[in-house]
Amino acid sequence: AQSVTQPDIHITVSEGASLELRCNYSYGATPYLFWYVQSPGQGLQLLLKYFSGDTLVQGIKGFEAEFKRSQSSFNLRKPSVHWSDAAEYFCAVGARGSQGNLIFGKGTKLSVKP
Amino acid sequence: EPEVTQTPSHQVTQMGQEVILRCVPISNHLYFYWYRQILGQKVEFLVSFYNNEISEKSEIFDDQFSVERPDGSNFTLKIRSTKLEDSAMYFCASTGGSMGYNEQFFGPGTRLTVL
């Protein structure tokens, strides 16, 4: 069965420091991969997505993610975190050929200290 | 910028009561979804809807749940007889175009509390 694992429930980084949020997936082939962000009281906003091609994808707000097939990972990175990045981050996969529903990880809450 | 809206933002109900959660998807979108997130757990797919019928549903979406697009703008999720375990945040999403992976746009969610 498809699944997504985000091993870190809560991460705290200092403003200006680099960030990496981990995501591992289990799927028989290469799925579609997504990162969403949720600020308090807000919906889920798409940061970036991977469908095919270049394994390093750029997203909004300075985020990027790298798809590593050998590790079944799709880790999210940002070189310098801003206080406004504090939010919850969700990794999700979509099965190729399905009706489009997404399977989410449990999320990683990011706190940013000044 | 177009956005998905959901009402109410918070619904409190008694166990056994019916609730209807409402969503207004982005106007030219064709595919609609409901997801839920129980506190502290992952976001889970409930149902997808296209061309006025259910495309796919998860095991969670049992006979107590139903969806409807009563007019050209609203998309509703009805829970017929709520249980305590239905307490969760419910997200509506929509996407346009083909059923390939266009971005799903999510609403802000409705927090359902069943007492």
Side-chain angles (χ1 to χ4, degrees), chain A residues 32 43 51 95 99-102, chain B residues 35 45 56 91 99 101 104 107:
Chain A
Y32 298 118
F51 286 179
Q99 296 297 312
N101 57 286
L102 300 175
Chain B
Y35 293 82
F45 167 72
E56 189 170 3
F91 294 104
M99 189 56 104
Y101 279 93
Q104 290 187 24

Side-chain angles (χ1 to χ4, degrees), chain A residues 34-57:
Chain A
F34 307 83
W35 275 98
Y36 282 85
V37 61
Q38 184 184 29
S39 298
Q42 304 295 313
L44 297 163
Q45 181 184 22
L46 182 67
L47 283 177
L48 48 75
K49 61 192 177 190
Y50 172 78
F51 286 179
S52 63
D54 192 345
T55 56
L56 184 64
V57 293

Side-chain angles (χ1 to χ4, degrees), chain B:
Chain B
E1 185 175 329
E3 59 182 18
V4 177
T5 59
Q6 291 185 242
T7 54
S9 56
H10 192 186
Q11 172 96 44
V12 181
T13 190
Q14 295 291 324
M15 188 170 57
Q17 294 296 304
E18 175 184 285
V19 295
I20 297 176
L21 309 183
R22 290 183 167 79
C23 169
V24 179
I26 294 172
S27 63
N28 61 345
H29 282 183
L30 302 176
Y31 300 89
F32 315 111
Y33 309 82
W34 284 101
Y35 293 82
R36 79 170 186 192
Q37 183 183 29
I38 296 172
L39 188 63
Q41 298 188 23
K42 61 179 68 177
V43 176
E44 301 171 291
F45 167 72
L46 292 178
V47 65
S48 58
F49 191 85
Y50 168 70
N51 199 25
N52 284 320
E53 60 183 27
I54 290 173
S55 302
E56 189 170 3
K57 59 183 181 179
S58 71
E59 293 175 351
I60 302 167
F61 194 87
D62 62 22
D63 292 344
Q64 292 298 314
F65 292 89
S66 62
V67 289
E68 192 178 31
R69 189 154 162 82
D71 52 43
S73 59
N74 290 283
F75 179 51
T76 62
L77 174 69
K78 181 191 291 186
I79 307 175
R80 189 172 306 121
S81 177
T82 50
K83 308 183 187 70
L84 295 176
E85 55 264 35
D86 294 327
S87 294
M89 180 74 87
Y90 288 81
F91 294 104
C92 173
S94 70
T95 186
S98 68
M99 189 56 104
Y101 279 93
N102 298 299
E103 175 183 350
Q104 290 187 24
F105 291 82
F106 284 80
T110 292
R111 181 168 296 285
L112 176 65
T113 302
V114 182
L115 303 176

Side-chain angles (χ1 to χ4, degrees), chain A residues 27-86:
Chain A
Y27 184 64
T30 301
Y32 298 118
L33 296 159
F34 307 83
W35 275 98
Y36 282 85
V37 61
Q38 184 184 29
S39 298
Q42 304 295 313
L44 297 163
Q45 181 184 22
L46 182 67
L47 283 177
L48 48 75
K49 61 192 177 190
Y50 172 78
F51 286 179
S52 63
D54 192 345
T55 56
L56 184 64
V57 293
Q58 302 297 320
I60 62 170
K61 306 184 181 187
F63 285 91
E64 65 178 27
E66 185 172 12
F67 168 58
K68 292 186 177 179
R69 185 191 308 273
S70 61
Q71 298 176 19
S72 296
S73 69
F74 188 57
N75 293 348
L76 182 71
R77 300 194 294 247
K78 186 169 185 178
S80 178
V81 168
H82 188 260
W83 64 266
S84 61
D85 293 325

